[in-house]
């Protein structure tokens, strides 16, 4: 017998594009959805990415992700729990479904009350208040807990005194609450590879070495990419692919990242094409092993890249600072079988995707298998009713995340539609 | 013709009484806006009988005054002048529905992000706010109350194609108690999975699904059957098949890419095998005495992940089974995903030599062998190999086999042989036409497990659409006036969502409300001006908020309007002479609106929308651009400056780009269209 879905609740952990698209799909099927997000805002990584359109759209899908984030904020049967973590999950006492314990960090600014007037941010002596989601055309402000003076025990409450809607409570306490759920979906995403780990590339010490993530953030903030050292447009730009992916002897990592992260070629080539058009005097070089195919019009994109970009099949061995803020890149040029050195104005490390920081803890909590890389089993848990979606089950771009998530949501709904066979007669 | 004069409201309607609700944003805007002045000028507007000043609409209890005023029967419509609606809309809509207020006659204007926060000068920000309110009240007075109607839905779904995706979709739908008609051109169920020897698991799964389908009473299977044509609307389609007819509410297209592969174009050589042949030869261990073999993955074409998987697997197997030297030639290995890199490492451990080069090796045919000569880019070393056997991967071919089908379904022209159009907002399985969905590799290259996933996802979507046997839809969105319709088919062809039907009997086009997405493209395209769009009628859009000698920006609500909101949040500044008119899609704007704005005194008209292929209304922006380009040519022919009308694209988060557009637009000598934010 099929079940009335509006009486059922789903708990989604993680509010990136995976969690959000699942929330939209499940709520439009009639479920009550609780969306639990660790950060102070929804959106995950894609929230901070930039549009890569040249004259035409390059279909990076960032605008689609932003659109879904806006939609979920308006969805009436999605209840959003920010700054929250799943702490425990037990079987619920009536025999079907689960009871979840959610820990919420202190909500210093209540989002629903904040009107984004920005008075608090202007008053903060240490500049630790900022808008959370300006890219959505709608935002509230959040306080960086690690820098707030009041939280360090000092007598500062400038922001609170100014807030016209009394949205600020500096004495807010962490809270715990219980939620009932008939199904749980884990969508905790990924961690970007920490480029500090690739010591020979000098990330963090050479100013004009940035990561793909930095590039995305710049692109969103200013629609272009400049050299961090002098905020000028770079002329000679290098992208190094597979940083922290497809690792071999050059990667000093505790555990393997012997997989292709699936998204880095796509964003690097799209950003390169964009820069090639914006900065007509620039010369862009891509150091790669293999270029991954993506998108429906890859053929056009690829031939355009072969015309406009310099493609070198090599994995550079080191980066060093050079005069005028340049970066000296050492690589082996196999066609001339010799070691080459070349200066660049800007080097972008195309970093890949690593398992989510919390993946192991949640996997243990929910009885989900973890593969040798640390990603979660896409088939979900041994416990029926617990599902996994999005990039926490393996690298995926936005399109693939949405595609996989919609299949998982369908499975989740099918499970709930089947009558629970509670055999306690 | 002066526009403001044209919109004399009382003559048109039975004196609607309007309230204007001014939100003062908890007192934070007092330095930017002179609320008493705004309230006074709003009170003088025709038809406005009440002006409410509310402290903070978004806060608890903040809308009480407004609700009380609206419940008062004498007030029939309200304008909310506040911040961007995202802050208060959800709460307000809930309050409306619990108080039985039809929110249709409430409209909104943004005086915070579009005025107070972007124009530092208080008096000009105040004046602009008053102008925005005046024009919005003018539009609101022309607004019409639209009810809803009941639309019956046939819960049967037609699934076209019985490959993995189609069979999965059919079974998932049957599980959800939908009747399903599953048709395939082939004489059996299973599709391409059955023909491939490389992936036996896929073939096995196909056989299992086929068996379950034959046992399922909800699914009627028609083999050797094609779709002839599709009539009707979402919820009530009539599919004419090569055998009989199927009435259905929705259609899932899962036709795969069966005819879309063929041999790679290589310099004329004979005696090569396809990967399938090689797989069979390995299965049956048919060949022996091979010393050296080669596999070509992608020398002339772009291959998918699946082809790389197959190549590595076959190369390893051949190497282990026949003990021969095995070479794999490729430009790029497609290794995205968790296990493929290891498969590659494994193949190399097995002794497979992978040779990579972007340029095709020199290939020569010898008596019983093939010779390949070139340079490996990984090592820089030259190779010159004589191979006993060469297997070449099939390559995707651009084949327009899908075109016939998508034409019948009215879902747009296929791209690169893929049935689903390449538009960001169609992800994952939408077609853009209500009630028609795509699943599996007919829409994008997929590996077989993903194709199954796609089938389930499409079934779930179809189920959401056809959950019940009836739905409610607006009584009208876009509407054709049959008396004016010239039956020219322009709207029928231009509607991005194929929501228009031609009524042969009455010789007029009809918009099907349950399929209409209210973009307004048809309205702008109709040469006879026979179509109108609720809330965005020609007369409403002609009410300009601009001061004389200003820039009017027609801003798409999916991109430019949001970018303007973001610009406000970031406190960017631009001239108060820039006035924004929201439109559902740039495709709604036709030259008449532009000319009226110019006649009303605007110096410049900007139309800002999405990028092509990231337009929610598919080709809305494309149509708009073509129209505006034509207009610019006409202006040039008349000896006028074409740059007073410009059209541009941006993404919703591109606040800086929005400000650049409106600021450049004012200077008038920079071409706006091509430049992405200048440096
Ligand atoms: C540099 C870079 C550029 C990229 N550019 C593109 C691009 O242009 N186009 C594209 O399609 N893809 C791109 N990608 C890939 C894209 O980021 C991912 O496809 C997408 O973000 C995956 O979404 P997700 O929801 O699975 O994960 P995430 O975006 O990581 O979201 C996970 C969410 O879960 C939350 N979370 C984590 N742990 C917990 C917990 N324990 N409890 C509660 N919540 C938790 C996180 O805070 C986060 O909000 C790029 C990736 C990188 C690294
Ligand atoms: S390039 Fe990306 S963000 Fe920009 S319009 Fe296209 S899909 Fe959207
Ligand atoms: S408004 Fe748009 S969707 Fe509706 S009928 Fe016209 S063109 Fe089609």
């Amino acid at each position: 017998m099929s079940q009335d879905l509006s009486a059922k609740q789903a708990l989604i952990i993680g509010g990136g594009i995976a969690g959000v698209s699942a929330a939209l799909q499940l709520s439009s099927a009639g479920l009550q959805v609780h969306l639990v997000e660790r950060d102070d805002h929804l959106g995950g990584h894609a929230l901070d990415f930039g549009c890569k359109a040249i004259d035409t759209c390059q279909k990076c899908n960032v605008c689609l992700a932003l659109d879904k984030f806006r939609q979920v904020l308006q969805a009436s049967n999605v209840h959003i729990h920010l700054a929250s973590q799943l702490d425990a999950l037990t079987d619920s006492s009536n025999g079907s479904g689960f009871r979840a314990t959610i820990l919420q960090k202190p909500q210093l600014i209540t989002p629903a009350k904040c009107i984004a007037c920005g008075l608090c941010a202007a008053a903060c002596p240490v500049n630790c208040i900022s808008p959370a989601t300006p890219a959505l055309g709608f935002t509230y402000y959040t306080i960086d807990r690690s820098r707030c003076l009041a939280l360090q025990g000092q007598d500062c409450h400038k922001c609170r005194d100014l807030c016209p809607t009394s949205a600020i409570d500096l004495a807010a306490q962490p809270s715990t609450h219980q939620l009932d759920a008939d199904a749980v979906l884990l969508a905790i995403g990924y961690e970007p590879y920490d480029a500090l780990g690739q010591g020979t590339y000098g990330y963090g010490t050479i100013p004009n070495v940035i990561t793909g993530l930095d590039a995305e953030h710049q692109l969103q903030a200013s629609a272009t990419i400049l050299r961090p050292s002098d905020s000028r447009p770079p002329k000679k730009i290098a992208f190094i692919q597979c940083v922290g992916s497809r690792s071999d002897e050059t990667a000093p990592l505790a555990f393997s990242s012997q997989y292709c992260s699936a998204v880095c070629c796509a964003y690097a080539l799209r950003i390169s094409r964009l820069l090639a058009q914006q900065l007509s005097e620039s010369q862009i070089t891509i150091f790669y092993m293999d270029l991954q195919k993506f998108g429906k019009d890859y053929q056009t994109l690829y031939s355009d890249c072969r015309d406009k970009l310099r493609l070198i099949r090599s994995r550079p061995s080191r980066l060093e600072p050079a005069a005028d803020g340049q970066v000296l890149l050492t690589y082996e040029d196999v066609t001339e079988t010799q070691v080459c050195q070349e200066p660049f104005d800007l080097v972008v490390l195309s970093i890949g995707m690593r398992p989510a920081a919390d993946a192991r803890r949640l996997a243990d909590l929910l009885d989900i298998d973890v593969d040798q890389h640390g990603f979660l089993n896409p088939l979900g848990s041994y416990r029926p009713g617990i599902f996994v979606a999005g990039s926490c089950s393996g690298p995926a771009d936005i399109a693939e995340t949405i595609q996989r998530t919609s299949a998982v949501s369908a499975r989740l709904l099918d499970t709930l539609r089947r009558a629970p066979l509670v055999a306690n007669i | 013709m002066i526009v403001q004069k044209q919109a004399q409201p009382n003559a048109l309607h039975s004196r609607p009484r309007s309230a204007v609700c001014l939100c003062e944003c908890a007192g934070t805007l007092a330095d930017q806006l002179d609320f008493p002045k705004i309230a006074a000028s709003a009170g003088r507007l025709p038809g406005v009988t009440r002006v409410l000043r509310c402290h903070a609409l978004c806060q608890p209890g903040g809308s009480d005054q407004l609700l009380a005023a609206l419940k008062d029967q004498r007030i029939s419509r309200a304008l909310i002048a506040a911040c961007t609606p995202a802050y208060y809309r959800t709460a307000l809509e809930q309050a409306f529905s619990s108080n039985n207020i039809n929110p249709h006659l409430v409209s909104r204007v943004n005086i915070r992000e579009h005025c107070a926060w972007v124009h530092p000068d208080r008096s000009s920000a105040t004046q602009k706010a008053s102008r925005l309110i005046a024009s919005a009240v003018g539009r609101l007075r022309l607004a019409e109350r639209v009810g809803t109607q009941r639309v019956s839905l046939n819960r049967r779904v037609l699934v076209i194609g019985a490959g993995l995706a189609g069979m999965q979709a059919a079974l998932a739908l049957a599980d959800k108690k939908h009747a399903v008609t599953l048709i395939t051109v082939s004489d059996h169920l299973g599709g391409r999975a059955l023909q491939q020897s490389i992936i036996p698991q896929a073939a096995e799964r196909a056989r299992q699904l086929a068996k379950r389908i034959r046992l399922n009473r909800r699914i009627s299977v028609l083999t050797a059957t094609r779709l002839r044509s599709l009539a009707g609307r979402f919820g009530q389609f009539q599919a004419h098949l090569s055998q009989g007819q199927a009435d259905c509410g929705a259609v899932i297209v899962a036709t795969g890419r069966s005819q879309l592969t063929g041999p790679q174009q290589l310099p004329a050589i004979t005696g090569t095998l396809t990967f399938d042949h090689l797989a069979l030869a390995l299965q049956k261990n048919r060949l022996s005495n091979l010393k050296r073999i080669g596999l070509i993955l992608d020398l002339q074409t772009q291959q998918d992940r699946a082809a790389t998987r197959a190549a590595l697997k076959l190369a390893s197997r051949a190497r282990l089974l026949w003990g021969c030297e095995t070479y794999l030639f490729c430009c790029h290995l497609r290794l995205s995903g968790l296990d493929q890199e290891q498969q590659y490492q494994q193949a190399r451990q097995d002794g497979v030599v992978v040779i990579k080069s972007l340029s095709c090796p020199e290939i020569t045919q010898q008596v019983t062998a093939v010779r390949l000569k070139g340079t490996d880019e990984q090592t820089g070393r030259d190779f010159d190999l004589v191979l006993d056997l060469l297997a070449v991967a099939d390559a995707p071919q651009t084949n327009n086999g899908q075109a016939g089908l998508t034409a019948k379904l009215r879902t747009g022209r296929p791209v690169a042989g893929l049935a689903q159009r390449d538009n960001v907002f169609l992800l994952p399985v939408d077609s853009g036409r209500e009630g028609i969905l795509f699943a599996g590799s007919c829409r994008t290259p997929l590996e077989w497990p993903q194709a199954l996933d796609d089938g389930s996802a499409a079934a779930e979507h179809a189920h959401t659409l056809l959950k019940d046997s009836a739905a409610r839809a607006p009584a009208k969105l876009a509407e054709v006036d049959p008396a004016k319709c010239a039956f020219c088919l322009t709207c029928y062809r231009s509607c991005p969502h194929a929501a228009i039907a031609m009524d042969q009997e009455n010789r007029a086009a009809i918009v099907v409300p349950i399929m209409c997405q209210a973009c307004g493209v048809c309205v702008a395209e109709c040469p006879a001006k026979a179509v109108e769009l609720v809330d965005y009628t020609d007369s409403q859009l002609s009410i300009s908020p601009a001061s004389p000698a200003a820039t009017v920006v027609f801003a798409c609500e999916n991109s430019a309007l949001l970018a303007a909101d973001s610009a406000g949040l970031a406190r960017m500044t631009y001239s108060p002479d820039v006035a924004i008119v929201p439109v559902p899609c740039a495709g709604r704007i036709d030259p008449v609106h532009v000319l009226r704005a110019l006649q009303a005194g605007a110096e410049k008209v900007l139309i800002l929308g999405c990028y092509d292929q990231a337009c929610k209304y598919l080709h809305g922006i494309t149509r708009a651009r073509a129209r505006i380009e034509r207009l610019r040519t006409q202006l040039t022919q008349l000896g006028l400056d074409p740059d007073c009308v410009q059209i541009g694209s941006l993404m919703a988060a591109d606040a800086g780009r929005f400000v650049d557009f409106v600021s450049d637009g004012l200077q008038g000598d920079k071409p706006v269209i091509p430049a992405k934010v200048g440096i």
Side-chain angles (χ1 to χ4, degrees):
Chain A
M1 195 192 80
S2 116
Q3 294 283 298
D4 179 19
L5 288 179
S6 61
K8 305 239 170 187
Q9 307 213 42
L11 175 65
I12 299 177
I13 313 291
I17 183 60
V20 165
S21 48
L24 288 171
Q25 196 175 334
L26 298 182
S27 72
S28 71
L31 289 188
Q32 294 296 319
V33 177
H34 291 277
L35 186 52
V36 172
E37 166 58 48
R38 172 193 61 189
D39 290 347
D40 284 315
H41 55 79
L42 288 184
H45 291 99
L47 181 70
D48 299 318
F49 293 166
C51 168
K52 300 167 196 72
I54 32 180
D55 297 330
T56 51
C57 163
Q58 294 206 70
K59 279 148 284 173
C60 72
N61 293 321
V62 170
C63 55
L64 171 66
L66 297 180
D67 187 67
K68 291 197 183 280
F69 301 151
R70 276 188 292 268
Q71 278 179 40
V72 85
L73 293 173
Q74 308 286 333
S76 56
N77 45 352
V78 178
H79 313 278
I80 298 168
H81 307 266
L82 295 172
S84 297
Q85 292 265 13
L86 176 67
D87 191 50
L89 188 82
T90 53
D91 288 333
S92 93
S93 48
N94 66 10
S96 81
F98 310 96
R99 167 145 272 226
T101 309
I102 308 291
L103 286 188
Q104 189 167 35
K105 284 195 241 168
Q107 288 272 77
L108 303 178
I109 300 185
T110 307
K113 283 192 182 168
C114 175
I115 58 174
C117 65
L119 293 174
C120 54
C124 176
V126 290
N127 262 330
C128 76
I129 310 185
S130 55
T133 57
L136 301 186
F138 158 84
T139 193
Y140 49 88
Y141 279 68
T142 54
I143 297 181
D144 179 348
R145 295 182 184 79
S146 64
R147 284 163 54 220
C148 170
L149 296 179
L151 297 198
Q152 330 290 303
Q154 295 191 35
D155 184 27
C156 175
H157 36 76
K158 294 202 164 71
C159 55
R160 187 194 65 200
D161 297 349
L162 279 173
C163 178
T165 58
S166 313
I168 304 183
D169 177 5
L170 293 170
Q173 293 301 309
S175 60
T176 307
H177 45 270
Q178 311 272 321
L179 290 173
D180 285 325
D182 299 280
V184 179
L185 177 76
L186 214 53
I188 55 173
Y190 67 97
E191 287 302 321
Y193 173 75
D194 183 0
L196 293 171
Q198 199 101 346
T200 49
Y201 284 167
Y203 179 69
T205 54
I206 311 176
N208 293 331
V209 176
I210 64 172
T211 64
L213 201 61
D214 300 331
E216 286 277 9
H217 294 176
Q218 271 207 43
L219 208 55
Q220 183 180 83
S222 60
T224 187
I225 293 171
L226 305 173
R227 290 214 308 185
S229 67
D230 53 8
S231 301
R232 309 244 323 231
K235 283 221 174 72
K236 278 193 72 184
I237 307 167
F239 280 80
I240 303 180
Q241 295 309 109
C242 304
V243 177
S245 303
R246 305 188 61 185
S247 67
D248 55 2
E249 57 286 354
T250 61
L253 278 170
F255 55 95
S256 82
S257 57
Q258 278 190 10
Y259 54 85
C260 161
S261 287
V263 301
C264 334
C265 287
Y267 74 71
L269 291 185
R270 285 176 178 136
I271 295 178
S272 302
R273 273 178 99 200
L274 170 61
L275 292 180
Q277 182 195 281
Q278 283 185 344
L279 315 169
S280 47
E281 285 163 33
S282 65
Q283 188 205 36
I284 301 174
T285 310
I286 313 261
F287 292 93
Y288 74 104
M289 302 209 282
D290 296 285
L291 292 177
Q292 301 305 313
K293 188 183 174 201
F294 51 88
K296 291 185 188 173
D297 53 0
Y298 182 76
Q299 192 78 49
T300 328
L301 179 135
Y302 179 72
S303 47
D304 193 40
C305 287
R306 283 197 69 178
D307 288 348
K308 295 199 178 119
L309 314 175
R310 192 167 141 230
L311 300 178
I312 297 181
R313 200 189 296 266
S314 173
R315 197 163 192 161
S317 52
R318 62 187 293 119
L319 302 176
E320 291 154 283
D324 298 328
Q326 286 196 309
V327 183
L328 192 65
L329 184 149
T330 308
Y331 69 101
E332 201 181 327
D333 182 352
V334 288
T335 46
E336 290 160 37
T337 356
Q338 61 180 16
V339 172
C340 297
Q341 291 203 313
E342 197 176 326
F344 288 92
D345 295 325
L346 181 75
V347 177
V348 183
L349 307 179
S350 297
I351 53 164
M353 299 165 82
R354 313 271 319 182
D358 224 9
R360 280 182 191 269
R361 181 183 74 88
L362 287 170
D364 286 347
L365 195 66
L366 304 179
D367 292 327
I368 300 171
D369 277 343
V370 171
D371 72 7
Q372 80 239 58
H373 312 291
F375 288 100
L376 302 173
N377 184 348
L379 296 176
S381 164
Y382 293 111
R383 282 155 82 182
I386 300 181
F387 300 82
V388 170
S391 61
C392 57
S393 61
D397 62 9
I398 293 169
E400 196 174 340
T401 299
I402 291 177
Q403 187 247 332
R404 283 198 218 157
T405 303
S406 83
V408 175
S409 309
R411 254 188 16 239
L412 188 153
L413 289 166
D414 282 341
T415 311
L416 292 187
R417 278 192 200 104
R418 281 184 209 120
L421 300 167
V422 197
N424 50 355
I425 317 158
Chain B
M1 175 174 46
I2 307 274
V3 189
Q4 269 89 343
K5 287 271 145 50
Q6 192 206 25
Q8 278 304 331
N10 293 354
L12 291 166
H13 283 272
S14 57
R15 295 174 187 269
R17 290 161 189 271
S18 312
V20 173
C21 174
L22 289 177
C23 176
E24 301 190 3
C25 201
T28 56
L29 300 182
D31 290 344
Q32 281 89 29
L33 295 176
D34 183 343
F35 279 100
K37 206 165 168 183
I38 297 173
S41 75
R44 287 193 296 271
L45 294 171
V48 173
T49 52
R50 283 194 65 184
V51 178
L52 308 166
R53 286 176 62 184
C54 99
H55 179 67
L57 200 59
C58 59
Q59 302 294 309
S63 59
D64 290 353
Q65 262 191 70
L66 174 65
L67 294 176
L70 286 176
K71 271 198 269 181
D72 177 352
Q73 291 300 307
R74 284 166 306 163
I75 295 213
S76 53
R77 37 197 84 195
L79 175 75
I80 298 170
C83 58
T84 180
Y87 285 91
Y88 60 84
R89 190 165 48 204
T90 318
L92 202 59
E93 273 167 12
Q94 275 161 11
F96 283 159
S97 74
S98 48
N99 286 280
N100 269 332
I101 294 165
N102 180 353
H104 191 80
L105 292 181
V106 174
S107 77
R108 304 163 190 88
V109 59
N110 187 343
I111 56 169
R112 189 174 80 163
E113 284 83 353
H114 297 177
C115 284
W117 282 358
V118 285
H119 309 314
D121 177 51
R122 186 170 189 254
S123 77
S124 43
T126 302
Q127 276 172 26
K128 181 169 161 190
S130 295
R131 283 200 308 273
L132 284 182
I133 292 171
S135 63
V137 165
R139 286 197 286 270
L140 179 63
R141 286 166 62 74
L142 301 177
E144 184 185 349
R145 187 185 284 266
V146 174
T148 59
Q149 57 178 355
R150 187 176 175 279
V151 183
S152 63
L153 305 174
N154 180 344
R155 293 186 76 247
R156 176 180 289 274
V157 179
L158 172 69
V159 178
I160 306 178
L164 286 174
M167 292 193 295
Q168 177 79 8
L171 283 166
L173 282 163
D175 247 13
K176 298 183 231 290
K177 303 194 170 41
H178 290 270
V180 178
T181 304
L182 175 64
I183 67 169
T184 170
V185 287
S186 150
D187 55 7
H188 59 275
L189 300 176
R192 199 163 63 116
L194 288 183
Q195 298 148 19
Q196 279 181 335
S197 13
I198 307 177
I199 331 169
Q201 308 94 304
E204 183 47 37
R205 180 60 85 86
R207 278 188 285 273
Q208 283 168 9
L209 291 177
K211 195 167 156 199
R212 281 176 54 203
I213 284 182
R214 278 190 293 266
L215 296 174
N216 195 309
R217 278 179 309 140
R218 287 205 178 89
I219 306 176
S220 359
V221 177
L222 295 171
T223 51
T225 303
R226 292 175 184 277
L227 178 75
R228 283 253 167 81
S229 66
L230 185 76
R233 57 148 173 96
F234 157 58
Q236 296 289 353
F237 284 121
Q238 295 93 41
H240 301 281
L241 309 173
S242 53
Q243 325 177 24
Q245 174 171 337
D247 291 341
C248 57
V251 181
I252 292 179
V253 182
T255 44
R257 327 183 23 146
S258 40
Q259 328 96 320
L260 295 179
T261 52
Q264 280 185 56
Q265 299 283 312
L266 286 175
I269 42 168
T270 52
T272 65
L273 300 180
T274 65
F275 275 16
D276 252 346
H277 291 144
L278 180 62
L280 272 178
L282 282 162
Q283 229 172 49
K284 311 230 155 101
N285 198 2
R286 258 197 217 129
L287 300 163
S288 54
N289 276 338
L290 296 169
K291 264 209 221 92
R292 195 181 282 141
I293 68 164
L295 289 84
I296 290 184
L297 174 59
D298 66 344
L299 294 180
Q300 301 281 317
T301 179
Q302 299 300 327
Q303 293 281 23
D304 304 329
R305 177 152 81 173
T308 298
R309 204 189 282 281
L312 290 170
K313 192 162 145 188
L314 292 174
S316 273
R317 237 195 261 161
R319 165 84 192 142
L320 296 178
L321 186 70
W322 295 329
C324 53
E325 284 177 37
T326 307
Y327 296 89
L328 174 61
F329 301 90
C330 63
C331 296
H332 301 285
L333 291 176
R334 313 291 188 197
L335 297 170
S336 58
L338 286 178
D339 53 342
Q340 299 251 96
E341 177 74 24
Q342 277 154 325
Q343 202 197 354
Y344 170 45
Q345 303 296 352
Q346 185 62 48
R348 294 209 319 196
Q349 267 172 32
D350 293 341
V352 175
V353 181
V354 177
I355 293 179
K356 294 184 189 173
S357 165
L358 291 191
S359 45
C360 188
E362 197 181 301
I363 306 179
T364 39
Q365 174 85 52
Q366 299 190 335
V367 189
T368 56
V370 183
R371 183 168 171 188
L372 262 71
K373 236 170 109 173
T375 311
D376 181 8
E377 284 179 6
Q378 300 167 102
T379 56
R381 270 185 235 124
D382 292 341
F383 61 85
D384 182 354
L385 296 163
V386 178
L387 306 167
D388 301 331
L389 182 147
L390 183 64
V392 182
D394 272 353
Q397 311 272 303
T398 310
N399 170 323
N400 292 326
Q402 307 276 16
L405 181 61
T406 55
K408 287 173 202 158
L409 299 169
R410 296 174 64 195
T411 53
R413 229 173 274 136
V415 182
L418 298 165
Q420 188 188 35
R421 280 176 278 190
D422 199 3
N423 180 290
V424 170
F425 287 95
L426 296 180
L427 276 173
V429 294
D430 279 348
S431 69
R433 188 170 194 219
E434 193 75 334
I436 297 183
L437 300 163
F438 291 116
S441 49
C442 69
R443 63 166 195 94
T444 195
L446 292 173
E447 291 189 73
W448 71 271
Q450 293 175 306
L452 287 172
D453 276 0
D454 237 38
S456 324
E460 187 59 49
H461 277 249
H463 175 68
T464 312
L465 292 172
L466 300 175
K467 225 181 309 186
D468 304 307
S469 52
R472 294 215 76 82
K476 69 172 195 183
L477 291 162
E479 195 178 49
V480 181
D481 178 350
K484 290 191 190 158
C485 175
F487 211 68
C488 67
L489 294 150
T490 306
C491 59
Y492 178 88
R493 292 199 194 96
S494 64
C495 173
H497 309 285
I500 297 180
M502 301 308 290
D503 177 354
Q504 300 289 345
E505 222 166 279
N506 299 313
R507 307 287 298 163
I510 321 174
V511 178
V512 182
I514 199 170
M515 300 178 84
C516 174
Q517 312 285 320
C519 61
V521 170
C522 56
V523 187
E525 292 280 330
C526 172
K529 298 261 150 285
V531 198
E532 275 289 22
L533 177 64
V534 166
D535 282 343
Y536 299 92
T537 60
D538 278 334
S539 7
Q540 284 173 307
L541 286 180
S542 300
I543 301 177
S544 157
S547 58
T551 299
V552 174
V553 183
F554 289 108
C556 159
E557 286 169 354
N558 296 310
S559 54
L561 193 74
L562 295 161
D565 292 351
S566 291
L569 289 172
R571 311 293 207 274
M572 295 173 171
T573 56
Y574 51 88
S575 159
D577 288 334
V578 172
I580 297 171
V581 182
V583 287
C585 172
R588 168 67 189 95
I589 292 306
D590 81 26
V592 172
H593 307 126
V594 176
L595 294 175
R596 285 195 188 152
L598 291 173
Q599 282 163 346
E603 195 151 89
K604 181 149 256 165
V605 176
L606 271 174
I607 294 105
L608 297 182
C610 308
Y611 288 97
D612 300 63
Q613 299 178 312
C615 171
K616 267 200 183 166
Y617 304 112
L618 307 166
H619 56 239
I621 180 71
T622 322
R623 291 275 179 165
R625 188 171 290 119
R627 236 177 275 140
I628 298 304
E629 285 312 322
R630 279 197 299 274
L631 175 66
R632 283 163 55 96
T633 317
Q634 285 160 3
L635 290 174
T636 318
Q637 285 161 357
L638 292 172
L640 298 170
D641 175 15
D643 282 344
C644 63
V645 185
Q646 298 184 338
I647 177 161
S649 294
L650 76 178
M651 190 268 252
D654 274 344
R657 192 167 158 80
F658 174 81
V659 173
D660 282 359
F661 269 134
V662 298
S663 312
D664 280 356
L666 283 179
Q667 284 151 25
D669 49 353
K670 289 189 192 163
V672 174
I673 305 150
K676 177 114 185 170
V677 177
I679 294 153

